[in-house]
Amino acid sequence: MLQLKEKYDIIIAGAGVAGLNAALFLPRDKDILLISKESPKHSDSYLAQGGICVLKWDGDHDIFFEDTLRAGHYENNRDTVECMLRSSRETISDLLCAGVRFSTDKEGNFLYTREGGHRAKRIMYHEDCTGREITSRLYAQAKKLNNVHIRPYTALIDLLCDERENVCAGAVLRDEETGEIKAVSADYVILATGGVGGLFRFSTNYRNLTGDGVAICLRHGVKTEHVDYIQIHPTTLYTKKRGRRFLISESVRGEGAVLLDGDGNRFTDELQPRDVVTAAIYKQMEKEGSEFVRLDLRTIPEKTVREHFPAIVRRCAAEGYDVFKAPIPVVPGQHYFMGGIASDLEGKTSMRRLFAVGETCCNGVHGKNRLASNSLLESLVFAKRAALAISNTYFPLSAEEEKEGMQGFDESNYKDERRLAAEYKKSVLGEIQRQKKETEAKK
């Protein structure tokens, strides 16, 4: 295991696509520590099935823009939406340069699919494991960089802050294998700690994603926004087993799969935004008194299913379901976090020297409900912008700022791991409820 230094130029907490892309666009002469709470493969970026949106041509701009706003109930920040759309083609070029492979036809032309809420086919994909393809390629690129030190099984448990001056001066880290706790100074910290699915009983997220970044920011008075905006995905594979729920990609419905009630009849338009389809499923389940509804993939040509959704076919088979012979049982499950640490178009938070990107941040691009396959794009676009913003305005931490940040560190505050985890969980869930009440009061 890599031995931690007393100071790095930049600390990145999180090794999903946001954290990795930030590392790739930071200056090569900066000493960068990239940590992940567990294995880098245990980020939700690896789990993304559907794909990544792209503005294929300018003629699709207004429709793509409107689709994103409509899904988000028009609560989106229009500037961040515009920025994301206009940056999408450059982002795809970056990915291709990193070796990412997208599905193509026999002539080598890129294939595009459609998902719920989209009125056009604008989603690029790699089979049904786009997230794994992108994240693994970015990880391979990051490992090649001599200035990027990747340290798995290392948790962010607090920030070093001078709260009087509102400055972040580093991070408190815990080695998840040895329990060792260390305060590490840094000129800048980038939070890319992912979502909050681990706080919920039924979620498509890895259990280690417990909103740590949000909890730590709440502790230090860093501004958060809309933490009550939590997306429920309409279709996860129904099971009575414990643990993470397996996602049945929205692309399946985009290719023609239909939702059926207990009598085998369709009961909703499958290509509406996620929250609308989820509400329809819950209503149908309540009407029937059932624990699930059914998703029929037999409406899609078998060749398409085998080529586009091999992982889904395999997982269903492992659970005893043959997608080519009968509908599969599906149920909604917590999936994505639209709220989080408030950040701007460059990932800046309300605390100086602290940035937040990816699912842990809220820059307003998704509004109240995320449009399918905008998550990978958003994470990549704004992580790069954060990295470039740091690069263009880099200014080392002063000796006084470093000293003030270290003064508040007391290792004994972090020794009781369970107590700290419970405190952070209570903090995030409490803020979710508080903001939910606040949102409802405004209606």
Side-chain angles (χ1 to χ4, degrees):
M1 181 79 77
L2 171 74
Q3 291 300 308
L4 290 172
K5 302 177 185 178
E6 297 296 324
K7 186 177 187 301
Y8 291 86
D9 294 322
I10 302 161
I11 295 173
I12 303 173
V17 294
L20 291 168
N21 213 41
L24 291 173
F25 284 96
L26 286 167
R28 297 290 189 262
D29 64 344
K30 302 303 178 187
D31 200 23
I32 300 166
L33 175 65
L34 176 64
I35 65 169
S36 62
K37 195 174 181 180
E38 293 193 8
S39 161
K41 291 185 178 181
H42 277 199
S43 75
D44 270 6
S45 297
Y46 264 86
L47 300 176
Q49 293 178 357
I52 179 170
C53 295
V54 62
L55 181 63
K56 289 164 57 179
W57 64 301
D58 288 345
D60 185 41
H61 173 275
D62 292 351
I63 298 175
F64 189 179
F65 192 91
E66 173 65 17
D67 286 350
T68 300
L69 263 60
R70 185 162 59 96
H73 295 262
Y74 298 94
E75 294 189 25
N76 317 62
N77 181 319
R78 292 171 180 252
D79 291 338
T80 54
V81 175
E82 179 69 18
C83 179
M84 181 181 73
L85 267 60
R86 292 298 183 189
S87 303
S88 62
R89 281 178 284 204
E90 178 183 302
T91 299
I92 296 300
S93 295
D94 291 341
L95 294 177
L96 292 172
C97 289
V100 173
R101 302 164 298 167
F102 291 106
S103 295
T104 61
D105 61 20
K106 292 180 180 178
E107 285 71 45
N109 301 307
F110 291 123
L111 296 174
Y112 299 87
T113 190
R114 176 187 173 203
E115 298 181 3
H118 291 272
R119 286 177 286 171
K121 288 191 173 186
R122 60 172 73 97
I123 301 168
M124 301 179 72
Y125 61 92
H126 177 87
E127 297 178 347
D128 57 353
C129 55
T130 310
R132 184 177 67 191
E133 172 66 15
I134 292 175
T135 313
S136 61
R137 298 287 175 174
L138 296 183
Y139 183 68
Q141 293 297 319
K143 284 182 69 177
K144 295 177 183 178
L145 300 179
N146 293 329
N147 68 311
V148 176
H149 312 286
I150 301 174
R151 198 177 199 274
Y153 304 103
T154 304
L156 172 76
I157 56 175
D158 206 353
L159 295 172
L160 297 175
C161 303
D162 178 357
E163 293 186 14
R164 292 177 301 174
E165 298 297 326
N166 193 38
V167 175
C168 178
V172 181
L173 309 178
R174 180 178 61 229
D175 186 315
E176 295 291 79
E177 295 182 329
T178 67
E180 180 186 358
I181 295 166
K182 189 174 181 67
V184 182
S185 297
D187 295 335
Y188 296 91
V189 173
I190 301 176
L191 301 178
T193 48
V196 296
L199 300 177
F200 295 83
R201 183 182 177 192
F202 301 117
S203 175
T204 62
N205 296 182
Y206 281 115
R207 304 308 299 168
N208 62 297
L209 298 172
T210 49
D212 300 345
V214 175
I216 291 167
C217 283
L218 288 170
R219 167 180 268 199
H220 293 287
V222 179
K223 185 181 178 183
T224 62
E225 265 186 343
H226 302 305
V227 296
D228 56 321
Y229 286 2
I230 296 166
Q231 186 175 75
I232 308 299
H233 197 285
T235 51
T236 71
L237 188 63
Y238 174 79
T239 179
K240 292 187 177 181
K241 298 176 183 177
R242 297 176 65 86
R244 184 177 68 81
R245 291 294 190 251
F246 182 76
L247 182 74
I248 303 298
S249 172
E250 201 151 8
S251 295
V252 171
R253 285 176 280 128
E255 292 294 332
V258 295
L259 288 164
L260 305 176
D261 62 20
D263 295 323
N265 301 313
R266 288 180 70 186
F267 58 88
T268 191
D269 176 359
E270 294 83 3
L271 292 180
Q272 297 175 100
R274 287 175 174 172
D275 58 337
V276 179
V277 178
T278 293
I281 292 174
Y282 279 138
K283 183 178 180 180
Q284 187 62 38
M285 288 166 57
E286 183 178 3
K287 179 181 176 181
E288 296 179 4
S290 62
E291 295 184 344
F292 56 83
V293 294
R294 296 153 186 82
L295 183 66
D296 197 345
L297 280 69
R298 296 174 299 174
T299 51
I300 310 172
E302 183 173 332
K303 183 174 183 291
T304 300
V305 174
R306 291 191 183 280
E307 291 180 352
H308 193 162
F309 308 111
I312 290 176
V313 172
R314 288 194 298 270
R315 179 57 179 265
C316 288
E319 295 285 341
Y321 304 114
D322 186 337
V323 301
F324 303 108
K325 291 184 178 180
I328 59 174
V330 293
V331 65
Q334 189 281 333
H335 181 58
Y336 197 80
F337 185 43
M338 281 81 60
I341 305 158
S343 63
D344 64 11
L345 271 72
E346 294 179 329
K348 294 176 183 175
T349 71
S350 64
M351 178 173 279
R352 291 191 292 124
R353 298 185 179 274
L354 178 66
F355 288 69
V357 293
E359 193 174 351
T360 199
C361 83
C362 179
N363 57 29
V365 74
H366 302 305
K368 192 174 183 178
N369 177 64
R370 178 172 66 80
L371 181 66
S373 287
N374 267 349
S375 57
L376 289 172
L377 177 61
E378 181 247 335
S379 293
L380 292 163
V381 166
F382 295 103
K384 179 178 179 179
R385 290 179 65 87
L388 295 179
I390 291 172
S391 304
N392 294 333
T393 59
Y394 199 97
F395 193 76
L397 196 69
S398 69
E400 184 62 25
E401 287 173 327
E402 184 175 344
K403 178 182 176 183
E404 288 297 322
M406 278 290 187
Q407 274 192 344
F409 172 67
D410 182 350
E411 186 176 342
S412 65
N413 291 333
Y414 310 102
K415 283 294 187 181
D416 190 337
E417 185 177 337
R418 289 187 177 181
R419 180 198 59 78
L420 187 65
E423 176 188 321
Y424 283 172
K425 179 178 181 178
K426 182 179 179 180
S427 173
V428 176
L429 292 178
E431 186 64 12
I432 289 171
Q433 290 305 314
R434 189 192 70 78
Q435 291 198 18
K436 185 179 292 184
K437 290 178 181 178
E438 192 175 275
T439 300
E440 290 172 351
K442 291 178 181 179
K443 292 181 180 178

